[in-house]
Amino acid sequence: MRYVVSACLAGHFCRYDGRSHPCALVIRLVQSKLAVPLCPECLGGLETPRIPCECRDGRVISRDGRDMTEFFAHGAAVSLELAKKEGCRAAILKSRSPSCGFGLIYDGSFRGTLCRGEGVWAALLRRAGFALFSEENLPEGM
Ligand code: SF4
């Protein structure tokens, strides 16, 4: 099984705040060439660091009120195609992100409140048939 993984879990400094969120298992998978790290927000043309965004009413809104949906949608589509081209069929994604989160994500209020939902890239991956895992719910047996 080859995984596509959120690049910040692989130690890339691509988070909105310029930091990473390293996960030892994900880093090992990448080193073993069993995982491909991608950041859909970077691939969508957003800079690092960048203003935080959250999903609200089917759109992606920045903390200063701009509609960033097109950047997120473009980055998610590019990232899905790259993942397919690399032969990935499963994903390990950073939880709660407006791109990579699934299950629970921030609710768009920028108050740290969670709600049920999925990020833009996670939704595309799921619809394309990828098995989804997160750093808080890693594949069994790893
Ligand atoms: S978009 Fe995904 S890969 Fe990129 S920094 Fe956010 S959580 Fe990490």
Side-chain angles (χ1 to χ4, degrees), residues 7-132:
C8 56
L9 295 178
H12 295 208
F13 296 98
C14 54
R15 278 176 34 144
Y16 73 93
D17 56 5
R19 298 166 65 188
S20 68
H21 192 96
C23 167
L25 171 69
V26 169
I27 291 170
R28 277 206 307 281
L29 287 172
V30 172
Q31 287 170 342
S32 314
K33 311 263 187 248
L34 293 171
V36 179
L38 296 176
C39 175
E41 292 177 23
C42 298
L43 288 165
L46 296 171
E47 293 178 344
T48 304
R50 53 190 171 275
I51 193 146
C53 295
E54 294 187 2
C55 299
R56 188 197 306 156
D57 301 329
R59 311 296 297 174
V60 185
I61 308 297
S62 66
R63 193 171 55 196
D64 61 357
R66 286 175 292 146
D67 188 332
M68 308 295 278
T69 309
E70 293 310 314
F71 292 99
F72 279 67
H74 175 62
V78 169
S79 301
L80 171 63
E81 288 312 309
L82 285 172
K84 289 201 280 197
K85 208 181 265 182
E86 291 283 350
C88 304
R89 292 288 171 269
I92 304 176
L93 302 175
K94 173 73 185 73
S95 57
R96 296 181 286 280
S97 151
S99 288
C100 298
F102 62 94
L104 290 174
I105 57 171
Y106 291 112
D107 70 350
S109 66
F110 295 94
R111 293 187 182 136
T113 309
L114 296 170
C115 64
R116 291 209 62 75
E118 55 191 357
V120 179
W121 190 36
L124 273 194
L125 289 166
R126 183 180 54 73
R127 277 187 231 126
F130 281 62
L132 300 188

